[in-house]
Amino acid sequence: MYDLLVIGGGIQGLSAAWHAAQSGADVLVVEKGTAAGGATKAAAGMLGAQTERHAGEALQRAAVSARDYWKTWAAEIERTSGKSTGLRLHGAYRTASSPECIHELRSAAVEQKALGLEVQSRFPDGADVKESVFFPQEAQVDAIQAAAAIAQGIKNAGGEIREKTTVRAAVLSGDVWQVETESGIYQSRYVLQAPGISGAVKGTSLSGAVLEPVKGECLAVRPAVQPFKETIVDEHIYLVPKADGRIIIGATETPGDETLDVHAGAAAQLLSRAVALYPALADAALIQHWAGVRPRRRGGPPLVAETKPGLFTTIGHYRNGILYAGWTGRLLTRWMDTGSRPEELAPFSPEEVTK
Ligand SMILES: Cc1cc2nc3c(=O)[nH]c(=O)nc-3n(C[C@H](O)[C@H](O)[C@H](O)COP(=O)(O)OP(=O)(O)OC[C@H]3O[C@@H](n4cnc5c(N)ncnc54)[C@H](O)[C@@H]3O)c2cc1C
């Protein structure tokens, strides 16, 4: 019997499994595809606590805590796995040129300063923008590398990851969860469902939360010399410079679409916006394109909850599943250990709606 069985080997499931495994729990992650796949492998890796919009003070503070947790957690992941997370600590710009977006950017800067967050008035060299603020504490990871390192850390701590295995159902029998997969039934004291856009399996619950897919397409270019190290988040696109010299250009937003092909029109629009924002990128080599599906919770923030006795859920992280991964995983394992919900997770409960 396991202490914790995790349904879904994306970054949310892996992060909770990593924390449980490091504290000595017997952990099994069951993944229908390959671990560190799903939306996780499509992510640009921004830890966007200040560049992304987080509705209300509680979510804004949670996002900042989640970003700052990565700064120490990344070293722990690297120590337990021997692999890099690609953490970069160069900060991020948010830029705007249209009157509405300039207004929105200035209001966001004022609100963040009022919360005591660091915000600077600074423009990125070489970018064609009318207004800019710089968030020196913003950071990023390489989502694929980080998730692979977390998975390795689970295995090195004695945890198991079973790939190409779909969970079909989970049933509580006494105090023990019986989890039915296509390769057999596993027993576990606790179950964490982290299935991304696939949603709940038979016998589990999302406490009424409804998920909607939001497709995102991305490109990557490789300039001869990377001209900036900071992330730049503009009105319609972002540029995320990676440690390996690539710059990720993202991302489209298509609600209701779960397909994974990259449309020529979307790629053309991303490229033309990237070159308009940062003209020197016109000379960069175009090297990659991909798409993923963000799991968004309709009308609410992500759901992190005990949705049945001993059945925990982390789902609906939309654009911020990488940002929230470690912080949420640590708090979920504390919840399982102590039997009471950490107060920090209150903004992610089923009754919360987006203000
Ligand atoms: C283009 C794009 C860019 C993004 N950029 C960022 C970014 O810069 N920063 C950020 O924080 N976030 C970003 N995101 C969002 C982020 O990728 C997601 O929020 C995050 O990956 C969600 O993680 P997850 O573990 O919940 O889901 P997933 O990564 O989708 O993992 C869920 C896993 O569960 C498995 N599964 C489902 N059902 C079952 C079952 N029954 N049995 C077994 N396995 C099952 C699936 O196969 C999948 O592997 C981006 C997303 C996209 C698409």
Side-chain angles (χ1 to χ4, degrees):
M1 183 166 109
Y2 293 95
D3 297 314
L4 173 63
L5 186 148
V6 178
I7 305 172
I11 196 133
Q12 287 290 321
L14 291 173
S15 299
W18 184 93
H19 283 86
Q22 301 309 318
S23 62
D26 284 329
V27 175
L28 172 64
V29 178
V30 184
E31 164 56 50
K32 68 179 176 183
T34 50
T40 297
K41 76 168 187 298
M46 292 177 289
L47 307 177
Q50 292 181 264
T51 47
E52 287 285 311
R53 293 166 188 82
H54 301 279
E57 182 176 344
L59 286 175
Q60 177 66 73
R61 290 204 185 280
V64 168
S65 299
R67 176 196 68 198
D68 292 345
Y69 181 63
W70 261 108
K71 295 178 184 175
T72 50
W73 186 45
E76 282 300 294
I77 297 169
E78 292 176 1
R79 184 183 62 74
T80 56
S81 68
K83 291 174 182 275
S84 171
T85 59
L87 177 71
R88 299 192 96 191
L89 300 170
H90 300 296
Y93 293 96
R94 225 184 106 193
T95 58
S97 295
S98 69
E100 320 81 75
C101 292
I102 289 174
H103 175 73
E104 206 263 310
L105 178 53
R106 287 179 181 158
S107 321
V110 169
E111 279 169 26
Q112 293 197 16
K113 278 185 188 160
L115 293 176
L117 302 178
E118 215 177 330
V119 179
Q120 297 175 359
S121 177
R122 200 173 119 187
F123 281 70
D125 285 342
D128 187 7
V129 294
K130 293 212 167 80
E131 180 63 296
S132 173
V133 291
F134 182 61
F135 305 108
Q137 297 304 324
E138 290 285 81
Q140 56 146 314
V141 292
D142 183 306
I144 295 177
Q145 282 182 12
I150 296 165
Q152 188 63 51
I154 294 168
K155 291 181 196 162
N156 290 353
E160 296 171 49
I161 300 178
R162 205 166 292 268
E163 297 183 307
K164 307 224 176 324
T165 306
T166 301
V167 173
R168 291 187 180 135
V171 179
L172 184 61
S173 168
D175 285 346
V176 176
W177 280 90
Q178 312 277 343
V179 180
E180 184 195 324
T181 75
E182 54 194 359
S183 66
I185 294 177
Y186 299 97
Q187 299 184 324
S188 184
R189 179 156 178 237
Y190 296 120
V191 170
L192 172 65
Q193 54 177 350
I197 195 58
S198 302
V201 300
K202 196 172 151 199
T204 66
S205 159
L206 296 181
S207 292
V210 176
L211 294 176
E212 49 194 17
V214 184
K215 176 178 175 176
E217 293 146 291
C218 286
L219 307 173
V221 294
R222 189 185 295 283
V225 177
Q226 202 173 61
F228 52 90
K229 290 195 168 94
E230 306 86 352
T231 294
I232 304 175
V233 179
D234 195 45
E235 295 176 11
H236 301 293
I237 59 158
Y238 49 73
L239 304 175
V240 189
K242 294 295 177 188
D244 61 8
R246 290 176 306 144
I247 297 177
I248 293 180
I249 303 170
T252 58
E253 286 254 336
T254 315
D257 190 347
E258 291 193 55
T259 60
L260 289 179
D261 39 17
V262 176
H263 292 129
Q269 194 173 54
L270 286 170
L271 273 182
S272 72
R273 284 177 166 165
V275 172
L277 172 63
Y278 206 92
L281 290 184
D283 294 329
L286 175 63
I287 55 168
Q288 288 173 309
H289 59 82
W290 68 89
V293 180
R294 308 172 185 93
R296 179 164 70 184
R297 180 178 162 210
R298 186 176 298 158
L303 177 71
V304 184
E306 186 175 12
T307 47
K308 281 190 171 183
L311 171 74
F312 294 83
T313 298
T314 178
I315 207 160
H317 285 81
Y318 184 33
R319 294 170 60 99
N320 295 301
I322 311 300
L323 166 69
Y324 276 119
W327 182 83
T328 306
R330 180 175 58 112
L331 292 171
L332 274 168
T333 50
R334 191 194 299 165
W335 190 344
M336 292 172 205
D337 286 345
T338 62
S340 53
R341 183 186 73 184
E343 207 32 52
E344 296 96 311
L345 289 177
F348 303 91
S349 57
E351 54 280 4
E352 288 295 324
V353 291
T354 303
K355 282 128 196 147

